[in-house]
Amino acid sequence: MRRRMLALLVYAGTGLLCLLHISLFTQTQSPPVYDVLIKNGTVYDGSLAAPLKADIAIKDDRIAKIARSIKEPAAREIEAKGLIVTPGFIDLHTHVDDGMYFPENRACLNYLLQGVTSIVAGQCGGSAWPIFEKAEDLINTWTKEGIGPNAALLVGHGQVRQIILGMENRAPTPEELEKMKALVQEAMEQGASGLSTGLIYLPGSFSKTDEIIELAKVIAPYGGIYHTHVRNERNRLLDAIKEAIEISEKSGARAHISHFKVMGKANWGLVKQACLIIEDARAKNLKITADQYPYSFTNGYPYLPLIPRATWIGREAVDRLNSTDVQKMFEHFGDSELVELYKKVTPYYPLSERQLQFIKSLPRNRLVAFASQFLFDLSSFQGPENMRERMLFLKRMANSEEAQRIRQEVRKSIEDTLGPENYIVGICVEKNLEGKSLREVAAIKGKTIEDAAIELDLMGAKCIPFQMCEPDIEYIMNKDYVGTGSDGTAPPYGIGLTHIRSYSTFLHKIKKYAIDKKAISLAQAIRSQTSLPAEIMNWNDRGWIKEGYKADLALIDLKNLKLPTSISNPHQYSQGVAFLLINGQVTIDNGKWNGKLPGKILKLKK
């Protein structure tokens, strides 16, 4: 009994000593000085300088301290040994606003997993907000509900023109131009960062240079930037670049050339002359910059038929459904009926008061055109999947003389544009053909180029034309005024055949061109995606790893970069971003999104 009592006293004493030790330790331990401490990372600060080993401490939304070793405690410590630490990537050209408008895609996860912390939206003449809204509407919604990456918004010239002129192919009257300028100014006052144009698209292509200059003059006093999808990216590229420079020179606004490239085999190499024109303008102190996506194929939907549309239709006049027919069908409905039909198909649901006011304010002809485009899809009546068109084409192929004409036109189209080696099968029912060029398919099947092309289209294969060439891509990439822009979207995961650039642009550029091909240095690749875009957008607190700057940071495992996306299966998330911080908040944690939406709207500092 005495031994048991003695043992209990010993145990009790030991317990008291432990509790006393814990109490003293708790009293002497300092509270966290920082919110996050990144230890032992290899830091690329956004410059071309060699990386350095350093710790980075974050307090609130800013980088508080950078040192070889930081001893003060933090609420969260991240071990970055074996990882590179870079500023968060900045995407200069996106169309993510289409997807991010809807809560499902608000995180923009396909970009977060590439290391992107900021995006520029509202490109190619389409504003970042729907036609019936204002900049402040989108800003208020995104601010209230949260977004993944930070976002800068552009007002689109094409949208502004459509609001005032509809789709009319004419110059605005002086009164109409003043209304367009007022819409641009309103957007700038509400928080837009600049103006975008899409001068190959309707209605942007209807505009003359002087019209764009007048609108660009509106954004210049704000320090706004003019982003342009130039008027021609083929044989008239040089004229198109000169027009962008003229708009900058006469308006006083900085000009930025979107997805700088040249398309078509006959035009490859023209980018060298285009660069000389840009560099001459820059030498005259004009602020001209550009961005690029590092792929040799283009378009958000990159798949194109091998049989040209004119060849598919044929020379004989055969009635085919067109947009005029569609509008005639809907002209029989009353205004209120069209509005009610539109309500049942619009993805912008529920309708806001502003949306309803916009629809009801449209003139009759524009209301019919606006509603019918949502209610009827012409594409389902075109191509090999439409049995009527398919039957008409096969009937022509049964005529030996007409079949010969078709084959000649298909062959000429392929040879004159890119050559059969530059058409790649992306998706095909015969899986062994995926990834093969048209030339390779013809050899496998023992057919002529034109017969192989016709067979592929008739079996519903999706083929991609490689419009750009690698030497041009690398030449542009090495220019110190060219940043990175994906031209990508934020699609619902797995839905649609999107370009792989939406999932892999930034890590693809690092892996293929910096690590594998060594066409540029790793520091160059990082600069083109961080400090250079920040400079282009005139952001003086992002894009660098510097004390006092916003804590937008990417921690990347270069040894485990994986880019599983392919032209046959584009919806595949990139792997390799271990951690991502946006405005000081960990958003990608050990390679996974943690559900946070820390992005902010980046407004101009007037």
Side-chain angles (χ1 to χ4, degrees):
M1 185 68 179
R2 292 178 62 187
R3 288 182 180 179
R4 184 177 298 174
M5 289 293 295
L6 183 60
L8 286 172
L9 287 172
V10 170
Y11 290 145
T14 304
L16 287 171
L17 287 173
C18 288
L19 287 171
L20 180 62
H21 176 76
I22 291 170
S23 175
L24 289 171
F25 178 79
T26 303
Q27 291 176 23
T28 58
Q29 187 182 35
S30 300
V33 176
Y34 305 113
D35 296 320
V36 180
L37 178 60
I38 300 169
K39 297 285 293 181
N40 306 311
T42 301
V43 178
Y44 286 82
D45 64 2
S47 72
L48 295 178
L52 55 93
K53 296 283 187 181
D55 294 350
I56 301 171
I58 295 155
K59 182 68 175 176
D60 298 325
D61 64 349
R62 294 187 180 268
I63 298 171
K65 185 177 181 180
I66 304 169
R68 181 66 188 87
S69 179
I70 298 175
K71 302 298 185 184
E72 296 94 337
R76 169 79 188 272
E77 186 172 305
I78 297 174
E79 176 55 58
K81 186 176 182 180
L83 306 177
I84 65 167
V85 185
T86 78
F89 298 148
I90 298 169
D91 194 329
L92 284 164
H93 186 105
T94 79
H95 295 275
V96 300
D97 38 283
D98 289 340
M100 282 181 67
Y101 184 88
F102 302 98
E104 175 190 2
N105 294 353
R106 205 62 57 73
C108 210
L109 187 56
N110 52 321
Y111 281 88
L112 299 185
L113 290 169
Q114 294 181 62
V116 174
T117 55
S118 300
I119 54 96
V120 182
Q123 298 284 359
C124 297
S127 298
W129 50 93
I131 193 169
F132 48 79
E133 289 189 349
K134 305 286 187 182
E136 64 184 5
D137 296 326
L138 188 66
I139 290 170
N140 291 340
T141 298
W142 283 5
T143 300
K144 179 182 177 181
E145 298 180 7
I147 52 178
N150 303 306
L153 312 179
L154 302 176
V155 55
H157 157 258
Q159 182 164 299
V160 167
R161 196 177 212 277
Q162 189 177 354
I163 290 171
I164 304 301
L165 278 80
M167 299 300 286
E168 294 184 39
N169 184 3
R170 62 176 177 84
T173 65
E175 293 77 16
E176 288 169 334
L177 183 59
E178 287 304 312
K179 290 179 180 178
M180 292 169 68
K181 290 165 69 174
L183 287 174
V184 172
Q185 184 170 11
E186 177 185 67
M188 297 301 291
E189 287 289 334
Q190 291 178 1
S193 292
L195 175 73
S196 78
T197 57
L199 299 181
I200 70 164
Y201 303 119
L202 298 177
S205 59
F206 296 151
S207 64
K208 306 299 182 188
T209 307
D210 288 347
E211 176 185 321
I212 311 300
I213 291 170
E214 289 304 307
L215 296 178
K217 283 180 180 178
V218 175
I219 70 170
Y222 293 89
I225 186 168
Y226 169 59
H227 284 245
T228 178
H229 181 142
V230 295
R231 209 175 287 272
N232 189 287
E233 295 179 321
R234 295 182 182 271
N235 60 321
R236 297 189 61 199
L237 174 68
L238 303 186
D239 291 336
I241 297 293
K242 289 175 184 177
E243 181 185 35
I245 293 170
E246 180 186 355
I247 291 167
S248 174
E249 187 172 24
K250 291 183 178 178
S251 69
R254 296 170 290 134
H256 183 79
I257 296 159
S258 299
H259 39 61
F260 184 27
K261 61 183 179 292
V262 70
M263 298 191 291
K265 193 173 182 179
N267 306 313
W268 291 348
L270 205 57
V271 295
K272 293 182 179 179
Q273 295 176 58
C275 286
L276 289 175
I277 293 170
I278 293 171
E279 287 155 18
D280 181 61
R282 286 170 60 84
K284 296 174 183 175
N285 292 321
L286 290 175
K287 294 180 179 179
I288 313 296
T289 53
D291 63 62
Q292 172 199 46
Y293 54 81
Y295 298 95
S296 55
F297 53 103
T298 186
N299 294 333
Y301 176 86
Y303 311 87
L304 291 176
L306 296 168
I307 304 171
R309 180 66 184 164
T311 301
W312 175 262
I313 293 173
R315 299 181 181 184
E316 295 181 6
V318 178
D319 288 338
R320 280 179 166 83
L321 201 67
N322 57 45
S323 58
T324 302
D325 297 323
V326 173
Q327 290 188 34
K328 284 180 180 178
M329 292 189 323
F330 288 96
E331 281 174 358
H332 299 290
F333 290 99
D335 289 6
S336 60
E337 290 174 306
L338 284 172
V339 172
E340 288 304 311
L341 285 170
Y342 171 78
K343 286 181 180 179
K344 293 177 181 178
V345 296
T346 176
Y348 303 111
Y349 178 84
L351 266 69
S352 65
E353 187 59 35
R354 183 132 42 204
Q355 185 179 2
L356 201 55
Q357 288 175 357
F358 171 79
I359 297 166
K360 290 181 176 180
S361 71
L362 292 173
R364 171 67 186 176
N365 63 327
R366 288 182 60 190
L367 174 61
V368 172
F370 184 79
S372 64
Q373 69 180 339
F374 285 93
L375 292 164
F376 201 93
D377 182 9
L378 266 177
S379 64
S380 60
F381 289 85
Q382 299 173 349
E385 294 179 10
N386 180 269
M387 294 310 296
R388 183 174 187 274
E389 285 209 347
R390 186 182 186 93
M391 179 191 68
L392 290 170
F393 179 80
L394 291 174
K395 186 176 180 180
R396 289 167 53 219
M397 286 295 293
N399 180 302
S400 59
E401 185 177 332
E402 181 68 4
Q404 183 61 22
R405 183 185 298 121
I406 289 171
R407 289 187 175 97
Q408 288 174 351
E409 289 181 6
V410 170
R411 177 94 188 195
K412 187 175 189 305
S413 171
I414 291 167
E415 293 287 2
D416 287 355
T417 53
L418 296 170
E421 66 278 5
N422 290 307
Y423 286 89
I424 307 300
V425 180
I427 300 173
C428 185
V429 66
E430 297 181 14
K431 294 298 180 184
N432 64 304
L433 301 182
E434 291 184 350
K436 300 286 195 303
S437 71
L438 176 57
R439 186 181 296 282
E440 290 172 322
V441 170
I444 290 169
K445 289 184 169 289
K447 293 188 174 183
T448 63
I449 296 296
E450 55 270 32
D451 279 341
I454 292 168
E455 181 180 339
L456 284 169
D457 269 9
L458 286 173
M459 72 168 71
K462 307 295 184 186
C463 299
I464 293 181
F466 277 36
Q467 300 269 21
M468 291 82 79
C469 68
E470 283 294 319
D472 281 0
I473 292 170
E474 293 182 22
Y475 186 84
I476 292 170
M477 192 177 290
N478 272 284
K479 295 299 179 179
D480 63 2
Y481 50 83
V482 177
T484 306
S486 69
D487 200 6
T489 62
Y493 183 62
I495 301 297
L497 294 175
T498 188
H499 195 298
I500 64 174
R501 63 195 181 195
S502 296
Y503 283 88
S504 57
T505 293
F506 291 83
L507 298 181
H508 168 76
K509 184 172 183 176
I510 286 174
K511 187 176 189 305
K512 178 175 180 178
Y513 291 98
I515 297 175
D516 295 343
K517 296 187 72 173
K518 294 183 171 51
I520 54 174
S521 69
L522 181 55
Q524 276 180 288
I526 292 169
R527 175 185 176 270
S528 75
Q529 302 180 167
T530 56
S531 63
L532 176 59
E535 179 186 339
I536 289 169
M537 293 303 297
N538 203 23
W539 298 336
N540 58 9
D541 60 355
R542 298 179 194 272
W544 291 86
I545 296 180
K546 292 182 178 180
E547 292 180 359
Y549 272 56
K550 294 289 186 180
D552 292 350
L553 300 168
L555 282 66
I556 303 171
D557 185 353
L558 291 182
K559 294 181 179 178
N560 288 293
L561 285 186
K562 294 179 182 177
L563 310 174
T565 188
S566 70
I567 59 177
S568 300
N569 192 9
H571 292 276
Q572 298 291 313
Y573 291 121
S574 293
Q575 300 170 33
V577 175
F579 298 91
L580 189 72
L581 287 82
I582 300 176
N583 296 313
Q585 295 190 48
V586 177
T587 307
I588 299 298
D589 197 337
N590 283 300
K592 297 183 183 299
W593 179 47
N594 60 15
K596 292 184 179 179
L597 298 171
K600 305 293 183 185
I601 301 296
L602 304 182
K603 299 181 181 180
L604 280 178
K605 296 180 175 66
K606 299 178 184 178

